Amino acid sequence: MKESTYLKRVAAIHDISGFGKCSLTVALPILSAAGIETSAMPTALLSTHTGGISGFTYLDTTSEMRPFMNHWKSLDIQFDAIYSGFLGSFEQLDIVKDFIDEFRNEGNIVLVDPVMADNGELYKIFTPEFAVGMRDLCRKADIIVPNITEASLLLDRPYRPGVYTQSYIEDMVEGLSRLGPKQIVLTGVYFDDETLGAATYDASTGQVGYTLVPKIPGYYHGTGDVFASALLSGLLNGFSLDKSAGIAVRFTAESINRTYMAGTDIRFGVNFEQSIPSLLKELELV
Ligand code: PXL
């Protein structure tokens, strides 16, 4: 068991979707379980996420974001990581860019998850122009965590469904790093129909890594947020990019698998809660 008196702190900038586990309702429990203090800046308040559930309510909380930022700044709060996810408007992209300028320091990690699309399609509340704005935010990040659809939008390339080749994936991660972020974690990577996982790329060493696990049928909602939160948990617990991505792939896959076995509606989010003990073992916290 690791002993530590210093608690790492993350600023998590995502929406709160009341039902359908994703964004803050996933990031908060995962990061907390991993021994990381998490400050939440909500970007919106929804009754459910927007993926396949109709009739959701949506309260945009943009007007609270700068006051949150200014108050945190006045308290001189330091963050070990800035972690952004679902952002609902161009103004929010600008606010997050300013937040990064205000709170970036020598040692902290800026992780941007460019949440906007999956399976070749933008989520219905986003426009192609938003993807251009997201590209600009990604330029300021140390690490980005797109899926293949988001990566294609960031690179302004047409989406291509898999199976992929190693050269296709490596060209993609290198292209993404040329936008600015030195570390890339690309999700939804597969080289055959039986396995699925993530690729990592570190532009400072040129190293590419893969973690692939057996594929589970079905598209489960909120898994990108589960993955990115576990990835950040690994990084802040001192693991390398590649090891952290491996931890995140296994945690997400175990959570999906349990949800699949239970026959839960794929829109409701995955049972990550009961994978937390395995996550803590992998993080060497228990
Ligand atoms: O998991 C990504 C996500 C986060 N937040 C909201 C969403 C989505 C994806 O659809 O709708 C509100």
Side-chain angles (χ1 to χ4, degrees):
M1 191 170 119
K2 279 185 201 161
E3 292 295 336
S4 172
T5 48
Y6 174 67
L7 200 53
K8 299 248 171 103
R9 183 185 296 124
V10 172
I13 310 175
H14 307 246
D15 68 284
I16 302 182
S17 290
F19 179 79
K21 291 174 280 183
C22 66
S23 37
L24 276 178
T25 64
V26 159
L28 275 164
I30 293 173
L31 290 163
S32 299
I36 298 153
E37 178 181 325
T38 307
S39 308
M41 179 180 286
T43 57
L45 182 61
L46 298 89
S47 53
T48 70
H49 61 69
T50 67
I53 304 182
S54 56
F56 54 83
T57 68
Y58 191 113
L59 177 69
D60 181 301
T61 48
T62 304
S63 63
E64 290 303 305
M65 290 175 70
R66 281 194 193 277
F68 266 48
M69 174 164 82
N70 295 338
H71 188 212
W72 289 357
K73 195 68 197 170
S74 77
L75 298 170
D76 196 27
I77 299 171
Q78 307 289 321
F79 295 105
D80 297 286
I82 299 165
Y83 168 30
S84 74
F86 179 93
L87 303 173
S89 65
F90 288 94
E91 196 181 344
Q92 292 193 353
L93 291 169
D94 286 339
I95 295 172
V96 176
K97 282 188 243 166
D98 291 346
F99 191 98
I100 293 168
D101 290 339
E102 285 292 338
F103 288 93
R104 191 193 273 289
N105 62 36
E106 286 279 295
N108 65 7
I109 300 172
V110 176
L111 187 152
V112 171
D113 183 355
V115 175
M116 56 186 171
D118 207 356
N119 288 316
E121 283 176 29
L122 278 163
Y123 295 138
K124 58 181 170 230
I125 65 161
F126 296 120
T127 60
E129 292 73 45
F130 184 82
V132 177
M134 185 59 91
R135 184 183 307 152
D136 248 11
L137 172 60
C138 285
R139 290 184 201 284
K140 294 184 87 80
D142 299 315
I143 307 178
I144 58 169
V145 191
N147 59 39
I148 303 237
T149 309
E150 290 159 346
S152 307
L153 287 162
L154 293 173
L155 292 170
D156 199 18
R157 294 181 190 173
Y159 169 74
R160 222 201 78 185
V163 297
Y164 301 103
T165 59
Q166 231 163 294
S167 65
Y168 185 82
I169 295 299
E170 289 169 21
D171 179 61
M172 190 164 241
V173 290
E174 282 166 24
L176 290 166
S177 78
R178 281 194 291 275
L179 295 176
K182 289 288 153 279
Q183 296 186 315
I184 310 296
V185 181
L186 183 63
T187 61
V189 171
Y190 58 106
F191 301 123
D192 56 51
D193 285 323
E194 280 76 52
T195 54
L196 178 70
T200 56
Y201 177 66
D202 189 329
S204 58
T205 59
Q207 211 181 325
V208 181
Y210 295 100
T211 303
L212 300 165
V213 291
K215 195 175 195 164
I216 306 147
Y219 165 74
Y220 284 84
H221 200 89
T223 50
D225 302 326
V226 170
F227 178 87
S229 302
L231 175 80
L232 186 57
S233 299
L235 294 168
L236 290 176
N237 276 290
F239 293 93
S240 68
L241 184 72
D242 198 37
K243 179 82 189 5
S244 299
I247 291 170
V249 167
R250 288 184 289 277
F251 177 64
T252 309
E254 184 187 319
S255 305
I256 295 173
N257 209 24
R258 187 180 298 101
T259 313
Y260 173 68
M261 299 303 272
T264 313
D265 190 318
I266 57 167
R267 300 169 302 168
F268 292 0
V270 293
N271 180 346
F272 69 88
E273 292 89 338
Q274 291 179 307
S275 300
I276 283 177
S278 323
L279 175 67
L280 300 195
K281 275 195 206 108
E282 286 226 53
L283 295 174
E284 297 169 16
L285 293 170
V286 290

